Amino acid sequence: MSQVLVASNRGPVSFSLSEDGGLVMRRGGGGLVSGLAGVVGAAPDPGPPRFPGPGRGDPGVLWVCASLGDADRAAARRAPEGRLDLDGHDIGGAAVRMLDVPADTFHRAYNGVANSTLWFVHHLLFDTPRVPHFDARARRDWQSYEAYNAAFADALARDAAPGAKVAIQDYHLSLAPRMLRDRRPDLRIVHFSHTPWAPPDYYRLLPDDIGAQVLHGVLGADHAGFLTGRWAAAFLDCCERFLPGARVDRAAGTVTRAGHATRVGVHGLGVDGDALRRRAAEQDVVERARALRDQVGDRQLIVRIDRTELSKNIVRGLAAYRELLVNHPEWHGRVVHLAFAYPSRYDLSEYREYTAAVQRTAKQITDEFGTPDWDPLVLQVNDDYPRSLAAYRVADVLLVNPIRDGMNLVAKEGPVLSERGCALVLSREAGAAAELSGDALMVNPFDVSQTAETLHRALLMPRERRAERCARLAAAATALPPRRWFAGQLAALD
Amino acid sequence: MSQVLVASNRGPVSFSLSEDGGLVMRRGGGGLVSGLAGVVGAAPDPGPPRFPGPGRGDPGVLWVCASLGDADRAAARRAPEGRLDLDGHDIGGAAVRMLDVPADTFHRAYNGVANSTLWFVHHLLFDTPRVPHFDARARRDWQSYEAYNAAFADALARDAAPGAKVAIQDYHLSLAPRMLRDRRPDLRIVHFSHTPWAPPDYYRLLPDDIGAQVLHGVLGADHAGFLTGRWAAAFLDCCERFLPGARVDRAAGTVTRAGHATRVGVHGLGVDGDALRRRAAEQDVVERARALRDQVGDRQLIVRIDRTELSKNIVRGLAAYRELLVNHPEWHGRVVHLAFAYPSRYDLSEYREYTAAVQRTAKQITDEFGTPDWDPLVLQVNDDYPRSLAAYRVADVLLVNPIRDGMNLVAKEGPVLSERGCALVLSREAGAAAELSGDALMVNPFDVSQTAETLHRALLMPRERRAERCARLAAAATALPPRRWFAGQLAALD
């Protein structure tokens, strides 16, 4: 088995400062950690996965990630060349190199380019009369993005064994595959996009050289992975339109340029049903589920769970709930909308404004319809993972209405945990739509009235039909667990 | 020759109230008036065109338009069935029926749907996390848009002679072709789009039924005209994606549905060079040109002329000028930017905010770079047509950088009137780019830095090269005069 290197902005651990100034390590979860654990033969559940590290007689796993804040940076500096595992940190046995990217370089690359530019272009989020605005400052941000990608390429080039497989993740690192290939042509590189990909007529909002550089960067990989066929096709469209000399073969799913071929593949990502169900059976979740049931009583419960992300479309979702209450007063007192909108990207002014708009809209609904006996809407903004799992368990209707979304795992986790069978109201612009549209109730996320009527239909759906559909949704949601998703990417390199 | 009917939101005349409460009629200009005059054998220049009306021994011309305000409405009500020409108004001999659309219906159709929704979708202007927001109110607006279109279809169906040709203009009237065909299958109908057309991945922001209804509406015409091949192709793409059962034949340029075929054609629109030059030689223009020359002295002059329209991209244009002054201080005191930004669509809050942003950006530049001897920027917001023509005459560089534009006639008028030969800095997203890109300096309108550098190149261009390019631009700009554009649409119906 080859050595496997993973590169991602956010690593499997992060640090914070304790009250006495010491470093406290926290292990993260997510599909990548779980996928990696499944592939490299880490110890099975329960508990956080353990990884084989280098020097245990196998080629091992090395994870390269960025320092996201000052505490991360302090931990990275203290460890020998950033190798946290060599500084007494147990990260499930994995070797982790945390890069000490200078704070201003990181800020410009992460906020200025990755989250404000590339995220926006792939999710169609620009307020075009105003942004993007590619001026001298944007150019400086872009140079930081190049430097940030180069830091990853340098670390990977230095650490990788000959012929190793390198899995580079997401839009933060779109240039790294090319940079790494230039440094180490012997490596086998996969790039995976967790976001959608912009259609050509929107992609061309980027400056020509930057747009071409991103495509060229991803094509440095031997394999470019996407979550659905729609995003893969958009990537091919962009290569064809914006890279002179690129030969796109749609039947073969390849892009060839300057003698190097990149295969484009679709690797859907679902949930690990067993692990998720086990977690949701723990005491903290059980208690919260009981509390939610007490709070809601015999009313039907519409649940949404999102980061407060511009693409998640929370304001229109709340507006749709309002329109439901206006058009169908028969639901007054008989339904509660539980909206979890967790903080996200508060460094960006657009997100602070959006969060305020969510809260304003929620307050309007409460003021307009609330009675002493009935809270029509409960908005929760403090992240509480066990409470989210509890909400999945007791939801009657799950609302997932993003403007555009690479996949959306809420739409998959909900049906898996639903106790009585929930109806899923799902945006057709989520990647998950490709797998779930047969049993979800589909909506156009910009169409508030249609969303309101679809919530109404979902509430009216007979319990048995809801349960049947939910069972099929859960089966589809667990058909592509993270280990399969990640194994598929690595296998594509053979 | 067949009878010709024209239908457009804005007609060839409009009314205002005089101080004593009487109605004052004003004749408008524009490509449609001039194109129509050329086609139907109106009296030649000089002076406003005269049209053959019905009842003079030929089938004549009838123009159907909407009342845009209270004075229009009063004039329409006073005239027999809205026929202004039968109420003592001389409109160059043309018959004009001005429809008395109720004010609230008009407002919702014009502002709510045409200008806030269809204009925005075709120009990619939505601030997607916030708008479009298709709720119950938007549905009510849509019903008004249907009623407004039906009012046109009713009037045309009643007035048209058997087999007459009907030319329906623009995005305000996208449903009218279908409505008219249903009422009068004997008529020959052309619909012409003066805007761009949205690519499918953006068009699908519209509610499904509304998106399909617009396409179906335009396909009620026998011929659907667009300003460039790019917009025609996007229309075909949308038909293919969103109209089940539509057969799109790209080679033939047809869309067939339910047995009816619509031909899609490209009809570029340029300027009537002779008429424009004659107008620009009149005394009011000559005086203003002299005043501008006195004001600017021997400095180079960068000119832009736009309505303050979100798509016109004035803020980024000003930002590019600022970046030019930052990066190239050698131009300080040696260049003046004259920006005409005329009021537009002040009924919409987005436009009021945008106008404020333009003024703020202009003030920043003046504050940052202005000296007692040098005004780097002159922003004019009061519409003055002869002054615009004067600016064309004396410009050294013309900046036309829309986000997206059906055609853009500023890019064509400027080179025609330029005295010494101006350089044209042109957005690749303007329809005019298809005809002018060989001799213009092309820019990505979102790339402020590139625009700044291109202004620099334009200022440095040797006078002779500038003049050569300008002469070729003027030739291209006048190759498709309005009469040819309009005649092409009518000929396509034979």
Side-chain angles (χ1 to χ4, degrees):
Chain A
M1 190 178 160
S2 319
Q3 188 199 25
V4 172
L5 293 91
V6 176
S8 64
N9 174 66
R10 184 179 299 274
V13 293
S14 63
F15 291 87
S16 56
L17 286 175
S18 65
E19 301 223 334
D20 63 358
L23 290 171
V24 180
M25 190 181 86
R26 206 177 66 84
R27 292 189 61 182
L32 195 54
V33 168
S34 151
L36 185 63
V39 166
V40 299
D45 298 296
R50 295 200 62 79
F51 303 98
R56 293 188 184 189
D58 68 31
V61 168
L62 175 72
W63 195 317
V64 179
C65 60
S67 302
L68 304 185
D70 290 338
D72 280 5
R73 232 166 263 123
R77 272 178 211 155
R78 218 181 57 184
E81 297 192 317
R83 276 286 294 275
L84 302 175
D85 53 305
L86 303 182
D87 192 36
H89 297 294
D90 177 14
I91 311 163
V96 174
R97 183 177 305 286
M98 190 173 259
L99 301 178
D100 175 19
V101 183
D104 59 341
T105 301
F106 177 78
H107 171 74
R108 293 196 287 241
Y110 180 71
N111 287 317
V113 175
N115 286 348
S116 294
T117 303
L118 299 179
W119 179 270
F120 272 52
V121 80
H122 289 317
H123 290 84
L124 314 186
L125 291 176
F126 287 120
D127 177 12
T128 46
R130 207 172 56 81
V131 283
H133 187 101
F134 294 108
D135 58 3
R137 179 187 170 140
R139 286 279 155 189
R140 196 196 53 190
D141 289 352
W142 181 251
Q143 285 162 8
S144 292
Y145 183 78
E146 291 176 317
Y148 164 94
N149 273 261
F152 274 82
D154 287 339
L156 293 164
R158 195 183 46 190
D159 290 343
K165 293 182 173 181
V166 185
I168 299 176
Q169 304 298 312
D170 227 358
Y171 63 103
H172 313 90
L173 293 171
S174 62
L175 306 182
R178 171 68 49 189
M179 291 171 166
L180 181 56
R181 167 165 308 281
D182 289 344
R183 289 160 173 74
R184 289 285 305 274
D186 63 300
L187 301 177
R188 290 170 292 169
I189 306 170
V190 55
H191 182 272
F192 193 85
S193 292
H194 296 253
T195 62
W197 197 271
D201 274 298
Y202 205 81
Y203 192 79
R204 64 193 253 146
L205 271 62
L206 297 177
D208 300 16
D209 58 326
I210 288 177
Q213 213 178 326
V214 167
L215 296 169
H216 186 63
V218 172
L219 292 178
D222 299 292
H223 189 79
F226 296 89
L227 284 165
T228 80
R230 189 175 166 203
W231 314 143
F235 176 76
L236 293 176
D237 291 342
C238 286
C239 288
E240 197 160 64
R241 277 272 292 275
F242 303 120
L243 284 184
R247 205 172 66 248
V248 173
D249 183 336
R250 276 162 210 279
T254 57
V255 184
T256 308
R257 198 179 182 218
H260 174 64
T262 301
R263 262 186 56 206
V264 172
V266 174
H267 307 272
L269 175 60
V271 300
D272 180 338
D274 293 339
L276 184 65
R277 286 189 196 96
R278 267 198 308 276
R279 179 65 189 88
E282 289 181 24
Q283 194 53 33
D284 54 351
V285 178
V286 172
E287 280 164 13
R288 285 167 175 78
R290 190 178 305 129
L292 279 176
R293 259 183 238 105
D294 289 348
Q295 189 180 352
V296 173
D298 57 359
R299 297 176 172 118
Q300 291 211 59
L301 184 59
I302 301 174
V303 168
R304 74 172 304 139
I305 303 176
D306 294 291
R307 291 181 297 114
T308 307
E309 210 315 300
L310 297 184
S311 66
K312 298 299 185 186
N313 208 22
I314 300 171
V315 172
R316 287 192 191 85
L318 295 176
Y321 180 62
R322 181 184 172 276
E323 196 159 313
L324 170 77
L325 297 180
V326 170
N327 290 350
H328 299 285
E330 65 267 31
W331 291 115
H332 291 197
R334 295 178 50 217
V335 66
V336 173
H337 184 16
L338 190 57
F340 294 164
Y342 298 145
S344 181
R345 301 190 186 166
Y346 228 65
D347 287 345
L348 301 179
S349 64
E350 287 95 334
Y351 286 71
R352 292 192 295 273
E353 287 162 22
Y354 192 73
T355 302
V358 167
Q359 292 175 331
R360 212 163 45 233
T361 308
K363 182 167 184 312
Q364 282 165 0
I365 293 172
T366 301
D367 291 350
E368 187 174 357
F369 297 100
T371 68
D373 304 324
W374 176 51
D375 280 336
L377 173 68
V378 180
L379 174 70
Q380 299 275 8
V381 298
N382 302 317
D383 197 348
D384 181 337
Y385 182 61
R387 190 183 56 196
S388 297
L389 299 182
Y392 286 143
R393 288 181 57 158
V394 301
D396 296 288
V397 175
L398 183 64
L399 174 59
V400 179
N401 67 325
I403 289 174
R404 197 171 164 95
D405 207 330
M407 173 54 72
N408 197 297
L409 289 178
V410 170
K412 295 190 165 181
E413 291 167 347
V416 171
L417 295 184
S418 175
E419 290 172 2
R420 298 186 297 178
C422 71
L424 173 63
V425 175
L426 178 61
S427 166
R428 65 180 181 197
E429 307 298 335
E435 298 155 29
L436 306 181
S437 63
D439 288 295
L441 302 175
M442 305 304 294
V443 294
N444 172 348
F446 301 97
D447 194 339
V448 172
S449 296
Q450 183 198 41
T451 305
E453 281 310 299
T454 308
L455 288 173
H456 179 62
R457 280 172 50 212
L459 290 168
L460 286 179
M461 194 185 286
R463 179 91 26 221
E464 317 78 61
R465 255 187 62 216
R466 207 185 267 180
E468 286 164 21
R469 282 174 174 244
C470 185
R472 286 194 298 264
L473 288 169
T478 52
L480 302 164
R483 65 179 172 282
R484 191 167 145 186
W485 162 77
F486 194 67
Q489 292 175 54
L490 295 184
L493 293 176
D494 290 325
Chain B
M1 191 176 158
S2 319
Q3 187 198 26
V4 172
L5 293 91
V6 176
S8 63
N9 175 65
R10 183 180 299 274
V13 293
S14 62
F15 292 86
S16 56
L17 286 176
S18 64
E19 301 222 334
D20 64 357
L23 289 171
V24 180
M25 189 182 86
R26 206 175 67 83
R27 291 188 65 181
L32 196 54
V33 168
S34 147
L36 185 62
V39 166
V40 298
D45 297 296
R50 295 199 63 80
F51 304 98
R56 294 191 186 188
D58 67 32
V61 168
L62 176 72
W63 196 316
V64 179
C65 60
S67 302
L68 305 184
D70 290 339
D72 280 3
R73 231 165 265 121
R77 271 177 213 155
R78 217 181 56 185
E81 298 191 316
R83 276 286 296 275
L84 302 175
D85 54 305
L86 302 183
D87 193 35
H89 298 294
D90 176 14
I91 311 163
V96 174
R97 183 178 303 286
M98 189 173 260
L99 301 177
D100 175 20
V101 183
D104 59 341
T105 301
F106 178 79
H107 171 74
R108 293 197 286 242
Y110 180 71
N111 287 317
V113 175
N115 286 348
S116 294
T117 302
L118 299 179
W119 179 271
F120 272 51
V121 80
H122 289 317
H123 290 85
L124 314 185
L125 291 177
F126 286 121
D127 178 12
T128 46
R130 207 172 56 80
V131 283
H133 187 99
F134 295 108
D135 58 4
R137 180 188 168 139
R139 286 280 154 188
R140 196 197 52 190
D141 289 352
W142 180 252
Q143 285 162 7
S144 292
Y145 183 77
E146 292 176 317
Y148 165 93
N149 272 260
F152 274 82
D154 287 340
L156 292 165
R158 195 184 46 191
D159 289 344
K165 294 182 172 182
V166 185
I168 299 176
Q169 304 298 312
D170 227 358
Y171 63 102
H172 314 89
L173 293 171
S174 62
L175 306 181
R178 171 68 49 189
M179 292 171 165
L180 181 57
R181 168 165 308 282
D182 289 345
R183 287 161 174 73
R184 289 286 304 275
D186 62 300
L187 301 178
R188 290 170 291 169
I189 306 170
V190 55
H191 182 272
F192 194 85
S193 292
H194 295 254
T195 62
W197 198 271
D201 273 299
Y202 204 82
Y203 192 80
R204 62 195 253 145
L205 270 63
L206 297 177
D208 301 15
D209 57 327
I210 288 177
Q213 214 178 324
V214 167
L215 295 170
H216 185 62
V218 172
L219 292 179
D222 299 291
H223 189 79
F226 296 89
L227 285 165
T228 79
R230 189 174 167 205
W231 315 143
F235 176 77
L236 293 175
D237 291 343
C238 286
C239 288
E240 195 160 65
R241 278 271 291 277
F242 304 119
L243 283 185
R247 205 172 68 246
V248 173
D249 182 336
R250 277 164 209 277
T254 57
V255 184
T256 308
R257 200 178 181 219
H260 173 65
T262 301
R263 261 186 58 206
V264 172
V266 175
H267 307 271
L269 175 59
V271 300
D272 181 338
D274 292 339
L276 185 63
R277 287 190 196 98
R278 266 197 310 275
R279 179 65 188 88
E282 288 181 24
Q283 194 53 31
D284 54 353
V285 178
V286 172
E287 279 164 14
R288 284 166 174 79
R290 191 178 304 132
L292 279 176
R293 261 184 238 106
D294 289 346
Q295 189 180 355
V296 173
D298 57 359
R299 297 174 172 119
Q300 291 211 61
L301 184 59
I302 302 174
V303 168
R304 76 171 302 137
I305 302 174
D306 294 291
R307 290 181 299 114
T308 307
E309 211 314 301
L310 297 184
S311 67
K312 298 299 184 186
N313 207 22
I314 301 172
V315 172
R316 287 192 190 85
L318 295 177
Y321 180 63
R322 181 184 171 276
E323 196 160 311
L324 170 77
L325 297 181
V326 169
N327 290 350
H328 300 284
E330 65 268 29
W331 292 115
H332 292 196
R334 293 179 50 217
V335 66
V336 172
H337 184 15
L338 189 58
F340 294 163
Y342 298 145
S344 182
R345 299 190 187 168
Y346 229 65
D347 286 345
L348 301 178
S349 63
E350 287 95 333
Y351 286 72
R352 292 193 295 273
E353 288 162 21
Y354 192 73
T355 301
V358 167
Q359 292 174 330
R360 212 163 44 233
T361 308
K363 182 167 185 314
Q364 283 164 1
I365 293 172
T366 300
D367 291 350
E368 187 175 356
F369 297 100
T371 68
D373 304 324
W374 176 51
D375 279 336
L377 173 69
V378 180
L379 174 69
Q380 299 276 8
V381 298
N382 301 317
D383 198 347
D384 181 337
Y385 182 62
R387 191 183 55 195
S388 297
L389 298 183
Y392 286 143
R393 288 182 56 160
V394 300
D396 296 288
V397 176
L398 184 65
L399 174 59
V400 179
N401 68 326
I403 289 173
R404 199 170 164 97
D405 207 330
M407 174 54 72
N408 196 296
L409 290 178
V410 170
K412 296 190 165 180
E413 291 167 346
V416 170
L417 294 186
S418 176
E419 290 173 2
R420 298 185 298 177
C422 71
L424 173 62
V425 175
L426 178 62
S427 166
R428 66 180 182 198
E429 307 298 336
E435 298 155 29
L436 306 182
S437 63
D439 289 293
L441 302 175
M442 305 304 294
V443 294
N444 172 346
F446 301 97
D447 194 339
V448 172
S449 297
Q450 183 197 42
T451 305
E453 283 309 300
T454 308
L455 288 173
H456 179 61
R457 280 172 52 212
L459 290 169
L460 285 180
M461 192 186 288
R463 182 104 3 233
E464 317 78 59
R465 255 187 63 217
R466 208 185 267 179
E468 284 165 20
R469 282 174 174 245
C470 186
R472 285 194 297 265
L473 289 168
T478 51
L480 302 164
R483 66 179 170 280
R484 191 166 145 185
W485 162 77
F486 194 67
Q489 292 174 55
L490 295 185
L493 293 175
D494 289 326

